[in-house]
Amino acid sequence: MRGTNINTTMEEYQNIEEQEQAQYSAANIQVLEGLEAVRKRPAMYIGDISEKGLHHLVYETVDNSIDEALAGFCTHIEVTINEDNSITVQDNGRGIPVDMHEKEHKSALEVVMTVLHAGGKFDKGSYKVSGGLHGVGVSCVNALSTKMVSTVYRDGKIYRQEYAKGKPVTGVEIVGDTDIRGTRQQFWPDGSIFITTTYKYDILANRMRELAYLNAGITITLTDMRLDENEKAGIEGVRTEKFFSEGGLRDFVRYIDSSRTPLTGDVIYLNTEKQNTPIEVAIMYNTAYSENLHSYVNNINTIEGGTHVAGFRAALTRTLKSYAEQQCQKELEKLAKNHVEISGEDFREGLTAVISVKVAEPQFEGQTKTKLGNSEVSGYVQQAVGEALANYLEEHPQEAKLIVDKVILAATARVAARKARENVQRKSPMGGGGLPGKLADCSDKDPANCEMFIVEGDSAGGSAKQGRSRQFQAILPIRGKIFNVERVMWHKAFEHEEVNNIIQALGVRFGLGEDSKEANYEKLRYYKVIIMTDADVDGSHIDTLLMTLFYRYMPELIQKGHLFIATPPLYRCRLGKVEEYCYTEQDRLHFMQKYNNGREDGIFTQRYKGLGEMNPEQLWETTMNPETRLLKQVTIEDAAGADYVFSMLMGEDVGPRREFIEKNATFANIDA
Ligand code: 0RA
């Protein structure tokens, strides 16, 4: 799904400054591959053709401007979602060169826009470090757009070229004079290629925010011109946000942790370079229990980690351990007496950290190509973090003591957790303890065919049991609110009956940190795990609690795409012979508009307050039948964003939580 796009060699990287001075010319661009391939197999180039791929078009375009900024020539990037769902990205860089390309006999602009991989990154004279996820270049964006217009402001002139499906429909024309510099790209994604062409403001905003934190000093603005979309978000008129960070990753960890209580006063921060590899790290300890480690290589979120993360972990463990051995001997002796040994993960409980490295020739590995493979980077990061952390501990003895105490507590709790978990596992399916009594299992035994609904409440559970297909749908009713994983140490989970039932029914153990290997995902008994709750505030709260539980304790269940949320309807609307289920307030208004000139009267509206109000047939028809239902898949596209949201939703502060739920509610405010 992800590729590399850093094609400068290390040697070139070391000479950036000289290169910046080297006169770039069109001859530097090499030609590799045609664009027809992109339209034929779009997924190969941009990952997929869903909403995700659609948004990647923007990232790819913005990355080119980020590169120009990293090269030192651009300070502002403006991203606009236009009223017709086209996207405009404009920067104040040098402008893409428009001179003639020697080999191609075309302008450099045209080559960049119409030839795959001709981004100026294969050439000797230019420097590229920002990474589009696929690194395929803006020509891919062009190929996948019905129309694209490039405008270059350079040398007092405005140059313009227009394309359709990647092919030029005009030459590079001079269309006016200007006293600004920069590049403006506008594209209209091809609806015959993408499943959807409607951009989501929040998805773009999260990535632009992330880019602003990762590249301190660059101003990125995001503007949404679509009045109807803005209105849905409760915003009148044009929506616009400015993302700018002076503190870089320091600000990023503060943002991620804004709903958590800091353990120590300030952020531990380093921004350095080892062997010409820029390394930036920000670390903050909080009083909670989860580990939130976010890592980036060339602005790409390395979800699977890699050598830079390994180096970070090694430095953290080694430095804190050696500090504790020197300064906290008494405490360590006490631990040893109780047969508790500190392990790596204990150093990371309540840790929020962001690591960002820029690697000249990154090797990406792993299932999703988001794992850094370059072995040399591990040592660089370990050295940089080790030095900075040792200095910090030396200079902040009080904070150091707080951190060591927390590590000791974590180790003690972990040993307790193991005992508690071993108790549970003895009762697990593989341990011969059988399935939970509350589970109504399905008859098919092939996990690939099977689904398990986690249903809130016994009455809804009853309807679901009657309405389901016994063959492939299992029902696990749970009662009331399950516990909040953000606020307890993780072994406490095993004291909860509902949590134990879920573990036993799924057949998968929880795995965390070093224990994550123990999470035996190959034993998963259902490939679809579907959370089904009432379409109201309580229901969405339970959704969140369950999602957090899986996010923290079974992250691979989400990463592998097994977790879903069911969408029950809010209303059944009938007028004469037409009858429709409405899943949102908008659906209902739409029904009124379509069949009754927007009038509420003469329409029969049944409002469902909960799943329990539907009879089993209705529940099957609207929410459970794979032919007609709407399932939302839970994904972790944006792990830092998810961390922020989960800690905010689960944290002690009620205000932001209420605000978020109200803002993001898809349910009508029927019980407010
Ligand atoms: C290579 C050389 C030069 C500019 C760029 C790339 C460039 C590309 C993009 C893509 C989006 N915005 C951009 N801004 C600049 C110019 C070299 C020169 O002027 O000497």
Side-chain angles (χ1 to χ4, degrees), residues 586-623:
Q586 232 122 3
D587 282 354
R588 190 179 73 89
L589 297 175
H590 197 250
F591 183 93
M592 263 162 53
Q593 210 71 48
K594 193 165 160 194
Y595 299 108
N596 208 27
N597 289 322
R599 292 207 327 267
E600 191 117 29
D601 54 314
I603 295 178
F604 164 80
T605 307
Q606 184 184 1
R607 196 172 74 180
Y608 296 114
K609 278 203 183 132
L611 297 169
E613 288 185 3
M614 273 180 270
N615 62 41
E617 292 74 32
Q618 285 172 329
L619 194 59
W620 163 256
E621 194 184 336
T622 60
T623 317

Side-chain angles (χ1 to χ4, degrees), residues 385-406:
V385 174
E387 285 166 11
L389 194 58
N391 283 342
Y392 176 86
L393 296 173
E394 198 122 309
E395 286 164 18
H396 302 80
Q398 278 174 341
E399 271 89 357
K401 176 84 168 73
L402 285 172
I403 294 171
V404 172
D405 282 350
K406 181 162 174 94

Side-chain angles (χ1 to χ4, degrees), residues 23-24 61 64-65 68 91 93-97 119 126 154 183:
Q23 184 58 42
Y24 177 94
T61 311
N64 291 301
S65 300
E68 184 67 358
D91 66 47
R94 290 167 296 176
I96 298 179
S126 73
R154 239 183 112 95
T183 305

Side-chain angles (χ1 to χ4, degrees), residues 36 44 159 217 237 243 250 373 423 465 478 487 579 597:
E36 304 85 79
M44 257 189 65
Y159 302 86
F243 303 102
R250 253 177 307 213
N423 265 339
K465 280 180 194 177
I478 57 162
R487 286 201 229 167
E579 187 178 273
N597 289 322

Side-chain angles (χ1 to χ4, degrees), residues 298 448 546 554 603:
N298 304 341
L546 284 165
M554 266 192 219
I603 295 178

Side-chain angles (χ1 to χ4, degrees), residues 339-467:
H339 307 288
V340 175
E341 208 182 307
I342 300 182
S343 98
E345 70 203 85
D346 302 326
F347 293 99
R348 301 193 299 271
E349 201 176 275
L351 173 88
T352 298
V354 184
I355 307 166
S356 171
V357 295
K358 303 258 161 70
V359 181
E361 284 186 279
Q363 305 294 318
F364 287 112
E365 303 169 350
Q367 227 178 6
T368 55
K369 291 270 175 272
T370 57
K371 183 176 182 181
L372 183 70
N374 304 50
S375 55
E376 71 281 6
V377 177
S378 170
Y380 303 161
V381 176
Q382 191 173 333
Q383 205 190 345
V385 174
E387 285 166 11
L389 194 58
N391 283 342
Y392 176 86
L393 296 173
E394 198 122 309
E395 286 164 18
H396 302 80
Q398 278 174 341
E399 271 89 357
K401 176 84 168 73
L402 285 172
I403 294 171
V404 172
D405 282 350
K406 181 162 174 94
V407 170
I408 288 172
L409 193 63
T412 315
R414 179 176 45 79
V415 172
R418 174 154 294 148
K419 284 187 190 138
R421 191 177 48 180
E422 279 162 6
N423 265 339
V424 175
Q425 273 160 208
R426 245 177 275 128
K427 288 187 249 154
S428 79
M430 281 65 60
L435 295 168
K438 281 187 156 203
L439 177 78
D441 206 3
C442 52
S443 56
D444 196 322
K445 291 295 168 233
D446 180 354
N449 300 329
C450 296
E451 307 178 341
M452 181 177 91
F453 285 81
I454 302 177
V455 188
E456 183 226 341
D458 287 334
S459 83
S463 296
K465 280 180 194 177
Q466 288 176 53

